[in-house]
């Protein structure tokens, strides 16, 4: 069974042509899908072409493509008109995290596609169950959450809302393997998905420690970069625990749990920082300061690093353990 | 100023020749220090020689050594007699995480060294302030917490207890750069150090999600391996936030904090698991099951991966941002 054969006849719609949307499109193209790209904002369309070609070129260099970038470019139709989506069996939404905007997008999608077309959101902030209420025939709605850049990461989270038909989730789960992913399937809708939820537990604790003057942002960064980072891509979380020995871990878990931050609110300095329009690398002032040069060097660094770590993870694929519990 | 010159005349004592002790010794040897190795248990000494040579060989392959493994071997004196430590200006303790055992070790060290000799613990479970009370002249006691394997990781945490003289911490901090580390200096004793504390915030949340049937151990592992793992070694934590944009993060922080686990106790299944003597990879039954073959393949995988990620991090050294806040 050729995966190419399967995907070639399966056009997928993507609504939202920002950074994330572009890299999702590239990932789908590389897997062989024709893509119907909808630009809800004319502004999206502006930068899209150059982003797309740069990402396709990056894919080619990484050895992910089997044809030339231009051949893939020919597999996209771009439109501002939602009726172009009418033959898609899957439409992926990746517009900004605003419920009102998404509601409007869903309305326009459902107006043109059949009731069996699966509609998915890339949201990382809004529960699927909540978004599902905005969609006619909600049983065909689910979350497909991609990691950035979509074409060069293996991770993909598929999340059901309360009303999602699990059959649809299973179809997408199977299809995700054709996209070169290691998907996870979350049968119940949880607030924040797995990675985000785990990472925000880290951020809560880190912001607490920084707020107490016990450490600095820079030292927390060093800790994750050089310590956790040195095993995570191989071991994940619980295989690490097994490797280090459960007994020691249990002792530490018992002594640390009562000491961890239980804060329900984001610390003041972080709130202030954002209010002062410190937006991050893009505006050159975030938690760190950047110059125009350092910000673009950082961008290039990440693009290169990302390729390297993708290949590294590919060289160390299956962990040899069997029968994970539970 | 040659770093070789400085370290050559500076013998360092290491008490405890287990897995961690051995790799700390290798790290110190590679930096040029003569090492006085004390085996508090004859059992430690048994496997030490082969562990040591295997690790020196790994260092040589990784390009960390400037001489042959046997030359470094000649720089160690092994003894069960603590008086061998008398000329050391730094003694690193890395015995098991039991206060009573450590107390006895400190007593034997302080009986033979001068009052200015810095004594450090590699503990990841017991507060430095608590251990410090067991040491004569407690102002020269501090934590030096290494990441495994010590010779091929850049991370090192230096932690002061309440009574530690910051001057000693600064000397060790400076010296750690000669060991090829990116040290962090924690001026106040915190429960669990930085990485551990942050990682246990992750484990708390992950065990909560698994306990609720919302995800599985294997999916949490995939999430960290393929998603968080794809940027962590480059970006740490807060540079990632900057890169993704602070505004979106703030929104998600606000919605997620109240949802995160605040559990003070380790979930029942984990307690049970350890009580049933599931110790991890070493006993072939942990959170996952292993065969003899898969456990040793895993060991080899980690050794190789570790070399690769060490070099990868070296290729992407300084993040280009300046002036981290606060």
């Amino acid at each position: 069974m050729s995966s190419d054969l399967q995907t070639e006849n399966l056009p997928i719609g993507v609504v939202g042509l920002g950074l994330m949307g572009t890299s999702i499109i590239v990932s789908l193209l590389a897997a062989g899908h024709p893509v119907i790209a909808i630009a809800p904002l004319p502004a999206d369309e502006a930068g899209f072409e150059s982003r797309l070609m740069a990402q396709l070129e990056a894919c080619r260099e990484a050895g992910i493509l089997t044809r030339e970038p231009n051949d893939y470019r020919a597999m996209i139709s771009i439109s501002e008109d939602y009726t172009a989506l009418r033959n898609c069996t899957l439409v992926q939404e990746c517009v900004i995290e605003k419920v009102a905007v998404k509601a409007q997008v869903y309305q326009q999608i459902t107006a043109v596609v059949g009731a069996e077309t699966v509609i998915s959101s890339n949201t990382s902030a809004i529960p699927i169950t909540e978004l599902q209420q905005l969609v006619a025939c909600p049983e065909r709605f689910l979350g497909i959450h991609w990691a950035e850049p979509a074409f060069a990461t293996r991770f993909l989270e598929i999340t059901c809302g309360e009303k999602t038909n699990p059959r649809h989730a299973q179809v997408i789960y199977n299809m995700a393997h054709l996209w070169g992913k290691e998907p996870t399937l979350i049968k119940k809708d949880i607030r924040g998905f797995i990675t985000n939820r785990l990472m925000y537990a880290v951020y809560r604790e880190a912001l607490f420690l920084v707020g107490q003057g016990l450490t600095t942002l820079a030292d927390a960064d060093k800790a994750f970069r050089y310590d956790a980072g040195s095993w995570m891509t191989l071991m994940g979380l619980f295989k690490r625990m097994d490797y280090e020995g459960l007994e020691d871990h249990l002792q530490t878990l018992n002594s640390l749990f009562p000491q961890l931050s239980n804060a329900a609110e984001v610390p003041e300095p972080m709130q202030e920082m954002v209010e002062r329009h410190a937006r991050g690398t893009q505006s050159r002032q975030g938690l760190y300061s950047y110059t125009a040069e350092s910000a673009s060097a950082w961008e290039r660094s990440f693009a290169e690093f990302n390729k390297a770590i993708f290949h590294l993870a590919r060289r160390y694929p299956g962990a040899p353990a069997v029968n994970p519990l539970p």
Side-chain angles (χ1 to χ4, degrees), chain A:
Chain A
M1 186 181 76
S2 153
S3 65
D4 215 51
L5 206 71
Q6 291 201 345
T7 55
E8 252 171 29
N9 302 315
L10 212 63
I12 295 182
V14 175
V15 181
L17 308 185
L19 194 62
M20 193 74 229
T22 309
S23 84
I24 291 172
I25 288 171
V26 168
S27 195
L28 294 170
L29 291 172
H33 291 282
V35 171
I36 315 297
I38 302 291
L41 300 172
D44 272 7
E45 217 174 324
F48 174 69
E49 195 71 30
S50 61
R51 259 200 309 279
L52 177 78
M53 294 316 289
Q55 292 191 2
L56 279 171
E57 185 52 33
C59 273
R60 196 186 59 77
E61 279 170 24
I64 297 168
L65 304 186
T66 55
R67 285 167 273 171
E68 285 304 300
N70 277 328
D71 295 350
Y72 292 96
R73 176 62 191 84
M75 290 158 61
I76 317 180
S77 328
I78 308 177
S79 179
E80 287 171 34
D81 178 5
Y82 283 75
T83 56
L85 296 172
R86 64 185 175 283
N87 295 323
C88 294
T89 49
L90 169 64
V91 178
Q92 168 85 47
E93 166 269 305
C94 36
V95 302
I96 53 163
E97 299 282 28
K98 296 211 162 131
V99 174
V101 176
K102 288 184 192 285
Q104 211 173 14
V105 165
Y106 299 148
Q107 207 169 13
Q108 301 205 61
I109 297 170
T110 51
V112 298
V113 300
E116 277 288 298
T117 293
V118 174
I119 301 171
S120 64
S121 175
N122 184 51
T123 184
S124 61
I126 309 163
I128 297 304
T129 300
E130 186 183 330
L131 290 178
Q132 193 164 50
Q133 291 163 3
L134 308 168
V135 180
C137 311
E139 67 282 357
R140 44 73 179 270
F141 186 84
L142 43 75
I144 306 182
H145 184 217
W146 303 67
E148 234 290 285
F151 57 84
T153 48
R154 304 288 282 282
F155 191 69
L156 189 98
E157 279 180 319
I158 299 159
T159 307
C160 297
E162 269 170 28
K163 293 185 180 163
T164 305
N165 183 337
R167 191 172 54 78
H168 291 306
Q170 194 61 47
V171 168
I172 302 295
Y173 180 84
N174 295 343
M175 202 185 290
H177 289 91
L178 303 180
W179 304 340
K181 301 301 168 196
E182 287 277 349
T184 57
L185 175 53
I186 307 170
K187 289 179 182 171
K188 297 181 208 175
D189 192 8
I190 55 172
R191 199 86 174 94
F193 313 100
I194 305 177
T195 316
N196 273 8
R197 189 133 179 171
L198 299 179
M199 284 313 302
Y200 282 102
V202 178
Y203 283 122
R204 177 167 73 166
E205 185 62 20
L207 290 169
F208 168 74
L209 295 177
V210 171
Q212 300 281 306
L214 295 169
T215 186
T216 61
L217 295 177
D219 273 7
D221 276 358
K222 274 194 206 169
F224 259 54
R225 182 165 145 77
Y226 292 110
D227 192 1
S230 73
W231 48 262
M232 191 159 291
T233 296
L234 182 71
M235 297 188 163
L237 285 170
F238 291 104
K239 286 225 176 97
R240 174 67 174 180
M241 240 187 203
D242 272 358
Y243 184 80
E244 291 205 308
L246 288 180
E247 238 166 348
D248 276 0
H249 266 288
L250 184 64
Q251 213 168 337
T252 315
L253 289 165
N254 274 316
S255 72
L256 272 187
F257 274 21
Q259 314 269 342
L260 296 173
S261 167
N262 294 337
E265 281 176 13
V266 177
E268 197 58 38
M270 174 67 99
Q271 299 272 11
E272 264 174 35
M273 184 78 66
V274 175
E275 278 152 26
R276 282 196 284 120
H277 304 291
R279 300 205 45 206
T281 320
Q282 287 178 314
S283 69
R284 293 174 209 171
Q285 180 58 54
L287 300 168
Y288 293 79
S289 306
Y290 306 81
T291 63
E293 292 72 35
S294 75
S296 62
W298 191 223
E299 193 100 23
R300 283 194 306 277
S301 248
F302 182 52
E304 281 168 33
F305 173 84
N306 205 71
K307 270 183 259 174
I309 196 98
F310 178 70
H311 287 292
L312 189 61
R314 202 141 65 166
R315 278 215 306 282
Y316 297 91
V322 290
N323 302 329
L325 304 160

